[in-house]
Amino acid sequence: MASAGGAAPFWRAAGMTYITYSNICANLVRNCLKEPFKAEAISRERVHFSLTKWVDGKPEKPTVRSDPTEH
Amino acid sequence: MFRRATTLLRRPLIGATSRRFSTDLPAAAVEDSSFVEAWKKVSPNVDPPKTPLAYMKPRPATPSSLPSKLTVNFVLPYASELSAKEVDMVIVPATTGQMGVLPGHVATIAELKPGVLSVHEGNDVTKYFVSSGFAFIHANSVADIIAVEAVPVDRIDANLVQKGLQDFTQKLNSATTDLEKAEAQIGVDVHSALNSALTG
């Protein structure tokens, strides 16, 4: 582990949080799997959500998103 | 000005006695005694309900002599790979290098880097490639390893790893902003670790 007050890891210095770093690593590993494990992993991590933007106190039309990997 | 110095200096010592190490927590199941007493005062004929404290499994006590086996809990967000498995040794890929954990290891918290986690039980060695995570080793020879993604090494496709490594090395050379450089560097690190996991 870095010493107290020592240099931060390169991703922290570039403004990335640990969760972002960890998720990027996990996605890269999943992309390097053999089939059928790759398909299983990608389908497992798929998120499905509906996004509604609010403008001037009124909701706009919601968009439904189903992206496999979210950054 | 210094008249209160002695009282001020004494304060941290008094505070320190009330804080204990996490390994000093009781090993036996604890009942919430103050709740039970208050309940009995109000309704003495009805049995008091169990509080969340009663449902908590007590932590295994720190044995006085060195235990012979290490208890490993290896969990992922979607599955529990190993749950309270008794093993001889695990080698975790910490950011400070490959760390071997034997029974009786000093309590440690280690951040993991992308690498191979090997579990040694007798003559069997099971290897997992871990994307990143943490390893908590407690004084009572229980190791909790948490990872976001972990796969057995034989599920990794070598061609995809080579391709990924080439792609990210190119991206690293052509990256402009700090964030792009960081992402490309992460890609190169992860793919090189995957590569060495396949060959090593």
Side-chain angles (χ1 to χ4, degrees), chain B residues 52-69:
Chain B
L53 201 63
Y55 285 104
M56 274 177 67
K57 267 197 294 219
R59 159 200 315 275
T62 309
S64 45
S65 65
L66 220 58
S68 60
K69 292 272 198 198

Side-chain angles (χ1 to χ4, degrees), chain A residues 1-2 9-11 13-16 18 20-26 28-35 37-38 40-41 44-45 71, chain B residues 78 95-96 109 111 114 129 131-134 148-149 151 154-157 160-161 168 178-179 182-183 185-187 189-191 194:
Chain A
M1 277 158 286
F10 65 89
W11 40 268
M16 208 187 281
Y18 179 79
T20 317
Y21 164 71
S22 189
N23 284 336
I24 292 175
C25 288
L28 293 171
V29 171
R30 275 183 219 121
N31 285 335
C32 289
L33 297 177
K34 291 180 184 161
E35 296 293 343
F37 305 111
K38 185 172 174 182
E40 270 175 30
R44 188 206 316 132
E45 298 297 323
H71 272 240
Chain B
Y78 53 86
T95 44
T96 51
I109 301 178
E111 183 192 335
F129 185 85
S131 69
S132 61
F134 289 91
V148 177
E149 190 66 57
V151 292
D154 49 17
R155 289 192 195 173
I156 304 174
D157 187 336
L160 291 172
V161 171
F168 280 100
D178 261 348
L179 196 60
E183 283 182 9
Q185 183 67 52
I186 295 171
D189 285 346
V190 172
H191 285 97
L194 280 161

Side-chain angles (χ1 to χ4, degrees), chain A residues 57-70:
Chain A
K58 286 192 210 19
E60 294 183 345
K61 191 153 184 333
T63 55
V64 176
R65 300 254 298 264
S66 185
D67 303 355
T69 60
E70 278 295 308

Side-chain angles (χ1 to χ4, degrees), chain B residues 107-181:
Chain B
T108 317
I109 301 178
E111 183 192 335
L112 305 180
K113 65 177 180 210
V116 176
L117 169 87
S118 36
V119 180
H120 299 249
E121 168 63 24
N123 285 330
D124 306 318
V125 178
T126 325
K127 290 195 184 172
Y128 300 92
F129 185 85
V130 163
S131 69
S132 61
F134 289 91
F136 299 88
I137 301 145
H138 306 282
N140 51 14
S141 294
V142 171
D144 295 319
I145 304 170
I146 56 173
V148 177
E149 190 66 57
V151 292
V153 173
D154 49 17
R155 289 192 195 173
I156 304 174
D157 187 336
N159 296 328
L160 291 172
V161 171
Q162 288 299 340
K163 191 169 159 303
L165 188 56
Q166 284 165 3
D167 283 345
F168 280 100
T169 325
Q170 250 185 334
K171 276 192 205 164
L172 187 58
N173 292 331
S174 65
T176 45
T177 65
D178 261 348
L179 196 60
E180 272 177 38
K181 277 194 211 142

Side-chain angles (χ1 to χ4, degrees), chain B residues 66-90:
Chain B
L66 220 58
S68 60
K69 292 272 198 198
L70 184 71
T71 315
V72 175
N73 297 315
F74 180 28
V75 291
L76 302 170
Y78 53 86
S80 172
E81 279 289 334
L82 301 171
S83 174
K85 184 154 192 273
E86 305 257 328
V87 297
D88 295 324
M89 173 171 79
V90 288

